Structure formats: structure tokens, C-alpha cells
Amino acid sequence: MEQKKKILFIINPISGGKKKSGFYKTVLEALDMERFDPTFKLTAKAQDAYNMAKDAVDANFDAVIAVGGDGTINEIGTALINTGVPLGIIPEGSGNGLALYLGIPMNEAAAVRRINKFDTVTVDSGLINNHAFFNMAGLGFDASVSFNFAEENIRGPIGYLRSVINVLSKYESSLYKITIDGQLYEREAFMINVANSPQFGNNAYIAPNASVNDGQLDICIVRKFPIYLFPRLIFHLFTRTADQSEYVEIIPGKEITIERDTPGPVHVDGEPIELEPTLNVKIVPQSLRIIC
């Protein structure tokens, strides 16, 4: 008889504002228990998921499953880069951008059943000042929103919408110098996103043609625009036509430097961090296996 695969479920109990108390029962009902031996761990603070995943690699687990949102996926994926140990995803976040792009079911039980097939795809990852990202990194408006959202006491789409409104009322565009594969661009930008996959989450597409395994990143520059046109930009995001907006410029690249006047907020797969004025970004091709 084939030896059971050891898989670790790392559960973020607060992601997406959803309770996870019934998740264990879902796994026992949906997972093929003749083929898999599941272990469960709960995170309590930032970097718990990363450390648990690193320990799982050392303990020869066959897969690590992120039960959470893009931030949880980021921590676990960072620990699994170039290890050959695949990442599984049970989408439980506010946006679930990477899971939506990969076609992973939003339903818990269906996502667990997908693991039974154990089919994997190998994807690229990005690095921004040595912080890994798998879906998207960005600065400007959406990074400021990420910082605001992290302080919200309401999770999920409603909390995120509140953060958008709060930041929009006082946000100002900035000047950036952007070098993409040796070519310099100077732009006054509302925000800049470096996309590995096409969407932020919730089916809002900023880079409609991005792909996680094409060996390049899509640099999406949203130039300064009249604020009354903000609803039109939102329309473009949800109709996958951002590349058709006169205020959006998308340039593919592998080696990117973004220079700004001061240190400031950046989001990495939706998680806010403070980084230096100069941001060095690059693609790391074919570096992470994902069960999908």
C-alpha cells in the first residue's frame, strides 16, 4: 500500500473575518483519509505561518496547505520557495486574488477535495527588496489602503471598502522614477503595481494579461487622474479592461527599480510593510509548486 502523504494545514483563524471552527470536520469529510495524513496548526501572530511551514519542510511533509488569505499564502509560499514542497490553498481571505486566478474553489469542501487530486503547477514568484510575493506588490494608493485596512476592526470586503473611502479622501499622487529592464520612465502616479497574476482579488483585474508562469512581471502604472473619474477606473478593473484606460500604462519586465523621495508603505500580496525609498524588484521563475 502506498504510504500516506503527510500534509500540514496552517489555519489563520481571523482571515477574511470568517470563523474556522468547522474546518476540521470539513477536512475529515472531504479529504481522502486513505491517502493523506493531515496535521492542523493555528497561527496566532505574524510570521507564525512562515515558521510553521519552514518546520514542515524540515520534517519532510509532502505539502503545506494555507487556510487563509493572500497574506497567509505569502508567508507559507515564502517558506516553500525552491523547496519542491507544494503549497495548497483553501481560500479564506478578503480578496483571494491568487486562488481566484488559479481556479481554486471558494467553497471550503470543494477546495479540500481539489487536494485529493494532488495536481500541481509551478509558478513564478517576485521579490521586492527581498520580500517575496506571488500575486502582487504595490505602492501608492493601494499600499496606503492596505495600511488602513490592517487597522480596521471590520474584515472582509466591507472593511476594505471603508479603507478605500478613508484613504481616497486625502490621498495625493507622487513622482516616481521607474527603470524596467534598463529603460527609464518618469511618472506622476496614483499607484504602481507589480503584478505576477492579473488581479488584486474579488475579480478586480489590474493586469488583465499577467500570468504566473510567463517568466516576467507586469508593471502597472496608474497615472494621476481627476478624482471624479475614480468610478470609471473601478469599472475598468471589474470588466478586465484596465489596459484600455488612458490613465493605465502596463509594461512587462524582469528587473525593475522604482525610486521615490522617501521611505513609505508598500503592500506585498496585500500585507502592508514599510520599505526604503528605492525598491528593487525581480522575477524568480518557476520557483513554487501550487496544488490546483
Side-chain angles (χ1 to χ4, degrees):
M1 178 181 292
E2 182 184 357
Q3 187 174 1
K4 288 185 179 182
K5 292 185 183 296
K6 294 196 309 176
I7 58 175
L8 173 62
F9 289 88
I10 298 178
I11 305 165
N12 181 342
I14 64 169
S15 63
K18 304 171 187 174
K19 291 184 178 179
K20 316 294 190 308
S21 55
F23 181 72
Y24 305 94
K25 183 173 183 288
T26 298
V27 170
L28 296 178
E29 292 175 349
L31 191 67
D32 184 347
M33 301 301 289
E34 293 185 0
R35 295 177 55 221
F36 298 97
D37 178 16
T39 299
F40 303 90
K41 289 189 177 182
L42 287 172
T43 63
K45 60 185 183 302
Q47 293 302 302
D48 275 358
Y50 173 83
N51 291 326
M52 291 172 182
K54 289 289 278 187
D55 290 344
V57 173
D58 293 339
N60 296 315
F61 273 77
D62 295 290
V64 183
I65 315 300
V67 186
D70 287 331
T72 307
I73 291 166
N74 179 276
E75 285 194 28
I76 297 171
T78 298
L80 299 182
I81 286 176
N82 290 327
T83 65
V85 178
L87 163 72
I89 299 173
I90 310 297
E92 299 280 10
S94 300
N96 302 308
L98 187 60
L100 284 166
Y101 169 72
L102 292 171
I104 294 170
M106 294 296 107
N107 175 272
E108 260 187 8
V112 173
R113 285 193 293 270
R114 184 70 67 94
I115 294 168
N116 290 330
K117 297 180 180 179
F118 217 73
D119 292 333
T120 65
V121 61
T122 303
V123 305
D124 306 330
S125 54
L127 284 178
I128 179 165
N129 286 18
N130 292 318
H131 294 268
F133 63 95
F134 307 97
N135 191 53
M136 197 165 302
L139 60 158
F141 176 74
D142 61 330
S144 297
V145 169
S146 292
F147 267 79
N148 190 280
F149 182 56
E151 298 172 356
E152 268 284 351
N153 54 14
I154 300 175
R155 306 307 292 170
I158 293 175
Y160 193 80
L161 180 61
R162 277 182 33 161
S163 293
V164 168
I165 293 169
N166 288 341
V167 174
L168 187 62
S169 63
K170 55 197 173 191
Y171 182 77
E172 294 184 2
S173 297
S174 299
L175 291 170
Y176 300 93
K177 291 182 179 179
I178 310 157
T179 304
I180 303 172
D181 294 340
Q183 179 69 45
L184 176 64
Y185 305 83
E186 296 190 27
R187 298 288 187 269
E188 183 174 9
F190 179 73
M191 64 182 183
I192 299 171
N193 283 279
V194 183
N196 191 37
S197 97
Q199 63 163 293
F200 293 118
N202 295 311
N203 292 311
Y205 286 75
I206 185 64
N209 298 311
S211 168
V212 295
N213 46 26
D214 63 357
Q216 63 183 9
L217 299 163
D218 280 21
I219 299 84
C220 308
I221 305 164
V222 180
R223 294 195 291 270
K224 183 179 179 180
F225 58 89
I227 204 65
Y228 68 84
L229 292 179
F230 189 70
R232 184 185 296 179
L233 179 62
I234 298 298
F235 172 80
H236 279 299
L237 292 179
F238 285 99
T239 56
R240 303 190 187 192
T241 57
D243 54 338
Q244 298 177 26
S245 168
E246 62 186 297
Y247 296 102
V248 177
E249 183 178 11
I250 301 176
I251 306 166
K254 298 179 181 180
E255 297 275 349
I256 304 101
T257 300
I258 302 171
E259 298 175 80
R260 52 188 177 171
D261 290 337
T262 59
V266 173
H267 82 81
V268 180
D269 286 336
E271 295 299 303
I273 55 176
E274 288 271 344
L275 287 181
E276 300 83 0
T278 298
L279 305 170
N280 295 302
V281 191
K282 67 177 181 179
I283 189 78
V284 186
Q286 301 289 288
S287 50
L288 178 67
R289 290 177 66 202
I290 298 182
I291 299 170
C292 64

